[in-house]
């Protein structure tokens, strides 16, 4: 229902379709709905995809711009499923670079009661573990645009948006290679997490400690990600997309009792309907 | 595991399938209409397959493998041309087909020409459309 509701709202504003600077009063939008099949792994122990819903994802992708304020979905990234939308405001803009205030999720949260369908299925390692909310940060983003590439640097603080303390620095580079009707994006990302952030997400407090889950105080750490993502038009309204991303997490992640591996891989195939 | 998804998931799947199906039917109807348009002359048939090439963005070159087919009732010498540039000619033929790589950012029109009097006897076209409109900005990552 929300999908239809959202599309009808935005359709009313369809004529307001362009903007060029932050001082314009025009309104721009793009709404897309996507269905994706994905095979994903996670660094957390004891978590497997074991039912159809785990492999399928339905998403409503919204891009919106009004007077410098924007909402943008990550529909050109393989990991768009977990990243969600970004909210922001453009402080300075020109053709070559841009400075924004940005609000986005840098790390997915997790909660045992949502990770397993029934409470009795929760493995002993995760029983009694407090929920970890997603790492929503607010910060500054500098983006540099090249002919077929983009480089962006984020510096974000998690308080007051998140339950966690600390800060995050993110460096992201993406390069577009057009081939026939395909758009192929190659991307690389490096994210630094301060010790407060990691301690909240993968640290084990004294009141959570068990024999199989000893107390753990995390230090700062980083994550690297490489990805390739491709889009191909099916018709004027439909796009096929596929992507592969692989991430590596540093030692401070790996040393946590709830973390089982240092790599995450996600393979996705999907279609997007453009309203 | 992973995440608990309620019955809402099934509803969303149903809605999505309906959208896919309804769009497919509509697209098929539009395609059929186009075929009729280029084949109104019953004595001469000249058509392109596909009749539309879709690019991701406006202004971007669209690529497709296309076939131009023609058929006439009386054998003769014919050529297919595009912008007065000959693509292929046939002698004493009643019909044939030519395959080639279409590569253009705009609609292309093709003519079937009777070689002897160099008269255009039929015309067909391949349209170029796109998913996203062109943006005024140089960058490509955001829609705007």
């Amino acid at each position: 229902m929300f999908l239809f509701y959202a599309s009808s709202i935005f359709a009313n504003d369809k004529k307001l379709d362009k903007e060029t600077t932050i001082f314009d009063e025009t309104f721009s939008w793009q709404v897309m709905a996507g269905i994706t099949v994905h095979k994903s792994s996670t660094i957390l122990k004891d978590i497997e995809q074991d039912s159809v819903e785990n492999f399928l994802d339905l998403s409503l992708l919204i891009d919106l711009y009004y007077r410098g304020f924007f909402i943008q979905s990550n529909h050109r990234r393989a990991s768009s499923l977990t990243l969600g939308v970004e909210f922001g405001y453009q402080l300075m803009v020109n053709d070559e670079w841009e400075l924004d205030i940005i609000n986005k999720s840098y790390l997915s949260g997790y909660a045992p009661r949502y990770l397993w369908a029934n409470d009795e299925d929760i493995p002993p390692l995760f029983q009694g573990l407090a929920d970890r909310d997603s790492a929503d940060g607010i910060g500054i983003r500098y983006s540099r645009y090249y002919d077929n590439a983009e480089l962006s640097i984020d510096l974000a603080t998690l308080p007051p948006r998140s339950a966690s303390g600390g800060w995050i620095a993110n460096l992201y580079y993406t390069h577009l290679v057009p081939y026939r009707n395909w758009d192929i994006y190659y991307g690389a990302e490096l994210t630094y997490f301060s010790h407060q952030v990691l301690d909240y997400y993968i640290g084990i407090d004294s009141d959570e400690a068990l024999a199989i889950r000893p107390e753990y105080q995390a230090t700062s750490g980083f994550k690297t990600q490489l990805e390739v993502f491709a889009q191909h038009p099916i018709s004027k309204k439909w796009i096929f997309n596929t992507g592969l991303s692989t991430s590596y997490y540093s030692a401070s992640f790996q040393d946590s009792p709830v973390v089982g591996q240092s790599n995450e891989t996600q393979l996705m195939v999907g279609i997007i309907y453009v309203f | 595991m992973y995440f608990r998804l309620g019955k809402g998931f099934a509803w969303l799947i149903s809605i999505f399938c309906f959208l896919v199906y309804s769009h497919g039917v509509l697209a098929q109807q539009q395609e059929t209409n186009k075929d009729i348009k280029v084949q109104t002359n019953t004595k001469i048939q000249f058509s392109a397959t596909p009749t539309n090439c879709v690019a991701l963005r406006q202004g971007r070159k669209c690529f497709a493998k296309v076939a131009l087919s023609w058929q006439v009732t009386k054998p003769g010498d014919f050529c297919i041309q595009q912008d007065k540039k000959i693509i292929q000619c046939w002698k004493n033929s009643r019909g044939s087909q030519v395959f080639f790589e279409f590569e253009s950012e705009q609609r292309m029109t093709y003519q079937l020409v009777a070689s002897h009097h160099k008269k255009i006897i039929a015309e067909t076209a391949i349209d170029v459309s796109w998913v996203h409109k062109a943006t005024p900005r140089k960058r490509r990552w955001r829609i705007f």
Side-chain angles (χ1 to χ4, degrees):
Chain A
M1 286 304 285
F2 174 64
L3 189 142
F4 288 120
Y5 176 67
S7 67
S8 63
I9 288 172
F10 290 117
N12 291 334
D13 295 304
K14 202 167 185 174
K15 285 178 184 172
L16 302 168
D17 195 44
K18 296 273 192 290
E19 62 83 21
T20 51
T21 74
I22 60 169
F23 301 108
D24 276 359
E25 293 186 9
T26 47
F27 175 89
S28 308
W29 64 272
Q30 177 79 70
V31 178
M32 294 177 275
I35 185 163
T36 303
V37 179
H38 61 99
K39 176 80 179 83
S40 309
S41 63
T42 171
I43 57 169
L44 294 176
K45 280 180 183 168
D46 299 336
I47 295 179
E48 298 290 336
Q49 286 177 289
D50 60 2
S51 66
V52 177
E53 306 98 270
N54 296 158
F55 290 89
L56 281 175
D57 186 82
L58 284 172
S59 47
L60 186 67
L61 304 157
I62 298 172
D63 288 280
L64 196 67
Y65 174 90
Y66 182 68
R67 286 189 172 192
F69 290 96
F70 62 84
I71 297 171
Q72 62 186 19
S73 55
N74 288 283
H75 52 86
R76 292 183 182 118
R77 290 196 66 178
S79 48
S80 59
L81 296 175
T82 49
L83 291 168
V85 295
E86 298 172 357
F87 299 88
Y89 180 75
Q90 297 173 325
L91 293 171
M92 299 174 83
V93 185
N94 63 46
D95 280 347
E96 277 73 42
W97 61 271
E98 179 172 332
L99 193 65
D100 304 327
I101 296 173
I102 191 90
N103 179 86
K104 66 168 280 191
S105 180
Y106 290 92
L107 205 58
S108 297
Y110 62 96
R113 62 201 164 102
Y114 294 121
L115 288 170
W116 286 272
N118 304 302
D119 290 345
E120 56 269 26
D121 295 335
I122 299 173
L125 184 64
F126 286 90
Q127 280 175 13
L129 199 69
D131 295 356
R132 267 67 166 168
D133 295 333
S134 62
D136 296 333
I138 186 162
I140 295 286
R141 168 177 291 172
Y142 170 80
S143 304
R144 179 88 194 173
Y145 302 106
Y146 305 94
D147 281 345
N148 275 335
E150 178 190 355
L151 175 74
S152 66
I153 301 165
D154 291 11
L155 274 177
T157 171
L158 294 203
R161 293 276 299 119
S162 295
S164 162
W167 59 279
I168 284 169
N170 178 267
L171 178 70
Y172 174 61
Y173 176 79
T174 180
H175 187 91
L176 168 65
V177 179
Y179 173 71
R180 292 179 64 86
N181 294 333
W182 287 92
D183 269 4
I184 303 167
Y185 297 87
Y186 296 95
E189 187 174 50
L190 176 66
T191 311
Y192 173 85
F193 303 92
S194 73
H195 73 274
Q196 297 100 318
V197 180
L198 287 200
D199 204 35
Y200 173 79
Y201 284 94
I202 43 122
I204 304 297
D205 291 340
S206 53
D207 59 336
E208 293 176 320
L210 301 170
I212 55 162
R213 192 174 64 204
E215 192 175 341
Y216 175 66
Q217 192 167 9
T219 55
S220 59
F222 64 88
K223 169 194 165 189
T224 56
Q225 188 176 67
L226 294 173
E227 68 175 15
V228 58
F229 181 73
Q231 286 191 321
H232 189 278
I234 300 169
S235 71
K236 283 168 77 173
K237 289 288 182 185
W238 290 95
I239 301 170
F240 169 81
N241 58 81
T242 182
L244 175 70
S245 73
T246 180
S247 306
Y248 170 80
Y249 292 80
S250 66
S252 43
F253 281 92
Q254 297 166 42
D255 294 342
S256 168
V258 292
V259 172
Q261 59 186 52
S262 59
N263 294 291
E264 266 181 4
T265 304
Q266 186 182 54
L267 174 67
M268 55 83 73
V269 176
I271 49 172
I272 289 176
Y273 181 83
V274 181
F275 289 97
Chain B
M1 263 180 297
Y2 263 42
F3 301 101
R4 283 175 183 169
L5 294 170
K7 288 175 185 172
F9 192 84
W11 274 105
L12 283 171
I13 290 279
S14 312
I15 291 166
F16 206 87
C17 290
F18 171 75
L19 276 174
V20 173
Y21 173 75
S22 58
H23 178 78
V25 169
L26 201 66
Q28 206 174 10
Q29 283 169 353
Q30 284 169 349
E31 204 62 34
T32 310
N33 290 342
K34 274 188 178 167
D35 285 348
I36 291 165
K37 221 175 187 176
V38 296
Q39 294 178 9
T40 45
N41 190 330
T42 51
K43 289 183 180 175
I44 305 164
Q45 286 190 350
F46 183 40
S47 62
T49 311
T51 54
N52 191 28
C53 183
V54 185
L56 274 172
R57 270 183 302 280
Q58 185 179 10
R60 169 92 174 263
K61 227 172 224 182
C62 194
F63 297 83
K65 284 179 181 162
V66 299
L68 295 176
S69 310
W70 63 277
Q71 205 172 357
V72 294
T73 45
K74 198 178 162 190
D77 298 344
F78 298 95
C79 290
I80 290 176
Q81 67 175 33
Q82 189 269 315
D83 258 355
K84 294 183 180 171
K85 190 181 161 195
I86 302 291
I87 295 174
Q88 193 166 330
C89 290
W90 294 266
K91 283 196 178 295
N92 196 29
S93 177
R94 210 177 264 181
S96 191
Q97 220 175 13
V98 58
F99 298 90
F100 63 97
E101 285 287 333
F102 176 82
E103 192 179 322
S104 175
E105 61 275 358
Q106 60 189 19
R107 175 188 166 93
M108 296 286 258
T109 307
Y110 301 89
Q111 293 95 27
L112 181 66
V113 180
S115 302
H116 286 311
H117 24 63
K118 292 186 176 168
K119 188 184 165 192
I120 295 169
I121 56 168
E123 223 173 48
T124 190
I126 298 169
D127 286 321
V128 173
S129 51
W130 46 85
V131 180
H132 299 298
K133 282 184 183 175
T135 65
R137 291 193 176 188
K138 197 174 164 186
R139 64 183 195 234
R140 302 179 180 194
W141 282 266
R142 287 186 192 149
I143 293 296
F144 316 118

